[in-house]
Amino acid sequence: MIRRILAVVLQLLLVLLLLPCCCFHRATGTFGSQPDRSVSNTVYIVSLRSAPPVLAYRGGFAGFPATAPPPPSPRLASAAQSAFSALQSAADRVRGALGGRIRKEWERQRGKWRGKGKALVRSAKARQFAAFLKRQQRNVAASAGVPPARILHSYRYLSNGFAARLSPAQVRRLQRHPAVARVRASVRLYPATTHSPTFLKLPASLWNASRGTWGERSAGAAGVAEGAASRGEGVVIGVIDSGIWPEHPSFASQPGAPSPTAPSTFAGACETTGDFEACSGKVVGARAIRAAFEAEGGSVDLTVDYLSPRDSFNHGSWCAGAAAGNSGVDITAKTGQLIGAASGMAPGALLSIYKVLWRSSSQAASAPLADVKAAVEQAILDGVDVISISLAGLYDYTDYFTDVSYLNALRAGVVMVMAAGNDGRPPTAWSSWRTLSNFSPFYLTVGASSIGRQFSAAVTMGNRKSLVGASMGGDERTAAGLPLVDGLTARIGGTYEGKYCFEEGLDPAKIAGKLVVCVRGTAYIWQKVQEVSRCGGLGMILINDPKGDSNLYDNIPSPVPVLHLTAKDGAALLTYMKKTRNATASIPGAFTIRQLPGHPVIASFSSSGPLADPADSPMHPYPTNDILKPDLVAPGLSLWSAAAGSLENAGVVTFGLLSGTSMATPHVAGVAALLVQRNPTWSPAQVMSAMLTSATTTNDAGKPIKLESGATATPWEMGAGMINPPGMLDPGLTYNMDAQDLLNFLAGQDHGLTQSLFRNYTLSPTSPANLNRPLISVSRIAKTATVSRTVTNVASAASNYTAKVVVPSGVKVTVKPATFAIGIGESVTFNVTFTVTKQSSKFSYGSLTWVDKLGHAVRSVLAVQPLRR
């Protein structure tokens, strides 16, 4: 009874604290805190501790029943999954009308299961509690002199807080408010592509296309069966990016196919304007979110962008096409040469688009974190199943309440996939910082790899000798032959490093009408082609520096043709130019497609870990290397997908050839959609687990995957390895994490903040190393360290598993139990103990694989650092 009375008293005190301040101001003769007139353009995210968000609320406020989804029953989920599998198997076997009825029943039951959590989010009690949170937020804002008009976003479902433009004085007032947990400036995120987004509008990377026919083979999802209910039908992927070009054949209804319709569990909307009249085909939702962008002074440049969800510079359309674009859409070059057929990983899935990337006249496309958070929350409310975010920029920074949002997205049953970033490896193998973005455990972080395909063309010198390089070919002018000039000869006066074609470093009088030879290095490649184009050059031949990277790029965005040569062939070209007066060369318009051996390799731009010394990175939220990221890699180097078109030339269909972890991310999102469709009872953590334990660490020759530099890739560059769709379909065992596990993890990192926010939860702080992820990383081991993991049998039969260990150097590994029997739907917990045998400052790597006689091999990466504390 005393506890109840104390709880009521505390609740009343909290309500009083949340009321606007009513002190009398002598100077003004008014009541309440006065609005601050000196508001800057800085947008802040204000996070409250007064109440949990809707998806985490378990009750405690009078008149408001609990709104958090109840924890799923493992036994019920296992039984339901068995029933779904039986229906799907029958639909695959039975043809005709009966097969159609079985498939419809499968889809109905699947939708019913998946719709339970989505209906709860949109229930009347959820809306009522969300309205209560909004009132709290406005009261807190008013107490600091922030009027409602200055509140840009209200976060209520995934986290409790708001985004607003604030003055320094308002920030200080809010920081002192007892209901406020944190006030942080919103940061900017950027597309995770390997070149400047300003170049994506140039026509060199845009190509004509003709429609394929419905039902053709999905060119991109090799190894994924396309039988009944296997293409992602009924699954909605939310793409948070730069919008979409909805009329593109990758998204439009295909000839002979039924018009796609959104599942009953989806409640999204299509925001229409003059230039975005309607969603079409598989695009079932589209929203434009830019309140924070505009509040920060980012006026949308309407000469290059649209205020609607329409994409203006390819990035969003590309990612949407890679995730769920229609299959069999032919891509042809401007010359008419067939390139191949475009397809998304889940060509039957639907798309809901959230435009957060905007272009202004003063800067490249970017997205404020405040807008991204609002988009994620809106996507959850709309009822998406998977979220793809190809944005990066949060290096050794994250916001606790952003992580709470992503944790609650996982609680809502949504799989989130995010880009690792494009800043390559740290400058040394062991530096005090890492280049990785998006390194929390609540989502999949994706690095980029190659697929071994290269577009090639030859440059023929005036002596009739040819050199083959990476290129999409030339044009009529380069095919006819042009004079050659190198950057060193064409530099302006004594310009530093003229051979690198640095910006403003070339003399237009020496460049105009010629093929320009530039050495790689010093400047970004796109800066070199910009300089060549500015000076009137008609083409560029890029040659590798003997002391630099050896890889070749065939997708350099440029208004003029570009051909990329190795250092050896580049030296041969320079020798010819030196010995020949009035040297010339030609590049034909045609190209060839070569399949190179030894792939995949990890792209040199793909960001990686680890964080060497947590003490050197005070902004890092989890000061440890016990969370191994990226999680895995996927194709992200020189790939084609849908591109934005032109309203003036509506009949011209375009595709773009791009590289980046931006490109890898939607591949994984599409594959996740296939797993969500196939296994509707699985949690997001189980979907992620199936992809990680089935990933491959060898290339097409059976050798270890390497970096572009030639060194063997480590888990800090590729995580579990290359995504492997065939292997993920029957993983055998999965590692599951529920909301309680992740809250325990947060409680172990934030020194009491989680417990104060989630007051109706019993929390047991957990170290990052003990989070139930398939990737096992333990840093700074003094003598011994033991971690615990739990696996669940998701196979259709009971089995016996045995541990097979590849032991990392410097430690002894003990697994207990080393064998176990496990029934259908059952779980088993095991411990892994690492005993140091040799101290080292570096990580060493191995693996733990659980194998059975049914063909399952459930692999976990081991990364350990036997370093004395």
Side-chain angles (χ1 to χ4, degrees):
M1 178 63 72
I2 293 176
R3 288 184 178 179
R4 290 183 180 178
I5 294 173
L6 287 174
V8 171
V9 171
L10 288 172
Q11 188 170 318
L12 288 172
L13 286 172
L14 185 59
V15 170
L16 289 172
L17 288 170
L18 289 172
L19 292 174
C21 179
C22 294
C23 58
F24 183 81
H25 292 266
R26 294 180 183 274
T28 60
T30 59
F31 285 90
S33 181
Q34 296 303 296
D36 196 319
R37 307 299 179 189
S38 60
V39 176
S40 68
N41 283 340
T42 303
V43 172
Y44 289 86
I45 298 174
V46 182
S47 302
L48 305 186
R49 68 170 82 243
S50 53
V54 170
L55 279 166
Y57 174 57
R58 287 184 171 178
F61 288 89
F64 297 99
T67 54
S73 164
R75 182 169 296 181
L76 180 60
S78 177
Q81 185 61 47
S82 296
F84 291 140
S85 297
L87 280 171
Q88 184 177 24
S89 178
D92 285 339
R93 291 194 313 270
V94 180
R95 302 298 177 185
L98 178 59
R101 287 196 297 272
I102 295 174
R103 179 188 173 93
K104 286 184 178 180
E105 178 61 18
W106 182 90
E107 291 174 345
R108 190 182 73 82
Q109 293 294 340
R110 176 197 168 279
K112 184 178 179 181
W113 179 275
R114 294 285 300 172
K116 291 179 180 178
K118 297 177 182 180
L120 181 60
V121 173
R122 298 191 291 265
S123 65
K125 62 180 181 181
R127 293 196 302 271
Q128 290 166 2
F129 189 66
F132 168 69
L133 294 180
K134 187 173 184 178
R135 290 193 298 271
Q136 282 192 346
Q137 294 167 11
R138 297 218 168 177
N139 288 342
V140 169
S143 73
V146 182
R150 295 254 174 85
I151 298 177
L152 307 170
H153 296 298
S154 172
Y155 310 117
R156 293 163 287 163
Y157 288 84
L158 303 183
S159 64
N160 180 12
F162 58 91
R165 283 178 56 206
L166 303 174
S167 69
Q170 290 169 338
V171 170
R172 290 191 293 271
R173 290 176 202 150
L174 287 168
Q175 288 173 332
R176 293 193 297 266
H177 197 291
V180 174
R182 189 164 297 167
V183 182
R184 249 186 201 177
S186 174
V187 296
R188 285 292 179 102
L189 305 180
Y190 298 89
T193 45
T194 59
H195 43 74
S196 170
T198 59
F199 272 78
L200 297 180
K201 65 183 178 182
L202 297 175
S205 62
L206 304 181
W207 307 86
N208 299 323
S210 61
R211 291 176 182 267
T213 56
W214 181 69
E216 289 186 88
R217 174 68 183 173
S218 172
V224 178
E226 290 198 32
S230 65
R231 294 158 51 95
E233 290 84 354
V235 177
V236 181
I237 301 175
V239 180
I240 298 176
D241 212 284
S242 67
I244 196 167
W245 198 265
E247 300 86 0
H248 196 283
S250 289
F251 313 124
S253 297
Q254 293 189 295
S259 180
T261 56
S264 59
T265 55
F266 181 74
C270 186
E271 297 179 358
T272 58
T273 64
D275 59 61
F276 197 96
E277 295 180 355
C279 291
S280 60
K282 63 171 56 211
V283 181
V284 294
R287 299 179 186 270
I289 299 172
R290 61 178 183 276
F293 180 84
E294 292 180 336
E296 291 176 349
S299 177
V300 178
D301 186 351
L302 296 181
T303 65
V304 294
D305 205 347
Y306 308 95
L307 293 177
S308 70
R310 184 174 293 281
D311 185 15
S312 69
F313 70 103
N314 300 354
H315 197 267
S317 297
W318 199 107
C319 293
N326 291 323
S327 63
V329 181
D330 288 340
I331 311 170
T332 56
K334 290 179 289 185
T335 60
Q337 187 173 352
L338 181 65
I339 295 171
S343 174
M345 296 296 97
L350 303 172
L351 292 162
S352 186
I353 304 301
Y354 304 86
K355 183 175 178 178
V356 296
L357 273 170
W358 301 92
R359 303 163 79 186
S360 70
S361 57
S362 61
Q363 62 182 1
S366 62
L369 178 60
D371 285 344
V372 175
K373 284 189 62 172
V376 172
E377 182 158 302
Q378 186 61 60
I380 300 299
L381 283 172
D382 288 346
V384 304
D385 300 285
V386 178
I387 292 177
S388 178
I389 306 180
S390 290
L391 305 174
L394 298 180
Y395 300 109
D396 286 337
Y397 170 99
T398 192
D399 176 69
Y400 170 84
F401 285 89
T402 299
D403 276 354
V404 168
S405 294
Y406 295 159
L407 182 158
N408 284 317
L410 185 145
R411 185 200 294 263
V414 176
V415 180
M416 292 189 63
V417 187
M418 306 183 77
N422 294 338
D423 287 278
R425 302 182 71 245
T428 65
W430 191 243
S431 67
S432 62
W433 56 279
R434 60 173 150 195
T435 61
L436 191 76
S437 291
N438 303 320
F439 41 78
S440 295
F442 314 114
Y443 44 75
L444 285 172
T445 303
V446 187
S449 66
S450 69
I451 59 173
R453 182 186 61 185
Q454 185 181 86
F455 297 94
S456 302
V459 54
T460 301
M461 298 173 286
N463 60 8
R464 298 186 178 181
K465 293 183 178 180
S466 297
L467 303 168
V468 177
S471 176
M472 290 299 299
D475 56 21
E476 292 181 358
R477 295 174 298 185
T478 62
L482 294 170
L484 285 165
V485 64
D486 66 276
L488 188 61
T489 302
R491 65 178 177 170
I492 298 175
T495 304
Y496 172 71
E497 303 287 19
K499 66 179 181 180
Y500 295 111
C501 302
F502 200 75
E503 286 184 289
E504 305 294 331
L506 299 180
D507 185 348
K510 300 175 182 178
I511 294 292
K514 297 178 182 179
L515 268 177
V516 186
V517 180
C518 301
V519 178
R520 185 178 181 180
T522 302
Y524 289 112
I525 296 173
W526 64 264
Q527 291 175 314
K528 299 173 189 290
V529 296
Q530 184 181 39
E531 178 66 5
V532 169
S533 177
R534 181 189 71 84
C535 293
L538 299 182
M540 185 180 86
I541 299 175
L542 181 68
I543 62 177
N544 280 343
D545 190 318
K547 298 179 181 180
D549 289 340
S550 61
N551 60 306
L552 301 179
Y553 288 113
D554 54 12
N555 67 328
I556 299 168
S558 171
V560 297
V562 179
L563 186 141
H564 192 175
L565 293 175
T566 64
K568 180 180 178 181
D569 288 341
L573 177 64
L574 291 174
T575 299
Y576 159 72
M577 293 173 63
K578 186 176 181 180
K579 292 181 177 181
T580 307
R581 178 175 294 184
N582 299 324
T584 62
S586 62
I587 302 174
F591 58 85
T592 59
I593 301 176
R594 298 193 295 175
Q595 187 64 36
L596 305 177
H599 288 264
V601 298
I602 307 303
S604 59
F605 56 76
S606 189
S607 293
S608 66
L611 181 74
D613 187 351
D616 291 340
S617 185
M619 291 292 289
H620 193 272
Y622 315 130
T624 175
N625 281 312
D626 294 348
I627 299 176
L628 198 156
K629 291 276 180 168
D631 291 286
L632 76 172
V633 294
L637 189 61
S638 298
L639 300 171
W640 291 96
S641 184
S646 167
L647 292 177
E648 292 75 23
N649 298 290
V652 178
V653 178
T654 55
F655 283 81
L657 179 69
L658 301 179
S659 294
T661 55
S662 275
M663 287 56 257
T665 300
H667 280 78
V668 174
V671 169
L674 298 177
L675 278 177
V676 168
Q677 181 198 36
R678 187 182 181 92
N679 304 283
T681 66
W682 283 10
S683 71
Q686 288 179 291
V687 172
M688 293 188 283
S689 172
M691 287 192 274
L692 298 182
T693 59
S694 62
T696 179
T697 59
T698 56
N699 61 25
D700 54 14
K703 304 293 185 180
I705 293 175
K706 295 185 178 298
L707 307 175
E708 282 192 320
S709 65
T712 299
T714 74
W716 289 111
E717 286 100 21
M718 66 176 179
M722 178 75 170
I723 191 169
N724 177 26
M728 73 182 188
L729 299 180
D730 182 21
L733 305 173
T734 60
Y735 293 75
N736 197 9
M737 294 185 294
D738 60 19
Q740 185 71 45
D741 297 325
L742 293 168
L743 284 173
N744 288 341
F745 159 75
L746 281 181
Q749 315 309 310
D750 60 28
H751 310 291
L753 181 57
T754 303
Q755 187 64 74
S756 68
L757 179 61
F758 297 93
R759 291 186 294 275
N760 284 357
Y761 290 74
T762 300
L763 301 179
S764 301
T766 302
S767 69
N770 275 308
L771 197 57
N772 201 46
R773 304 178 71 231
L775 306 183
I776 299 175
S777 179
V778 187
S779 62
R780 306 181 72 84
I781 305 174
K783 294 182 180 179
T784 64
T786 299
V787 297
S788 177
R789 293 290 189 273
T790 299
V791 290
T792 300
N793 183 11
V794 294
S796 57
S799 191
N800 297 292
Y801 281 88
T802 301
K804 302 292 184 182
V805 180
V806 176
V807 180
S809 62
V811 296
K812 174 186 175 183
V813 179
T814 305
V815 181
K816 290 186 178 181
T819 63
F820 59 78
I822 187 169
I824 300 174
E826 293 181 350
S827 298
V828 168
T829 298
F830 62 90
N831 294 325
V832 183
T833 299
F834 303 97
T835 303
V836 174
T837 58
K838 183 179 179 180
Q839 296 284 353
S840 173
S841 62
K842 297 181 179 180
F843 271 87
S844 59
Y845 310 101
S847 62
L848 164 63
T849 305
W850 291 103
V851 297
D852 69 359
K853 294 182 178 180
L854 301 178
H856 298 118
V858 189
R859 181 179 178 275
S860 287
V861 168
L862 302 179
V864 297
Q865 182 195 19
L867 176 69
R868 191 175 301 279
R869 297 180 186 274

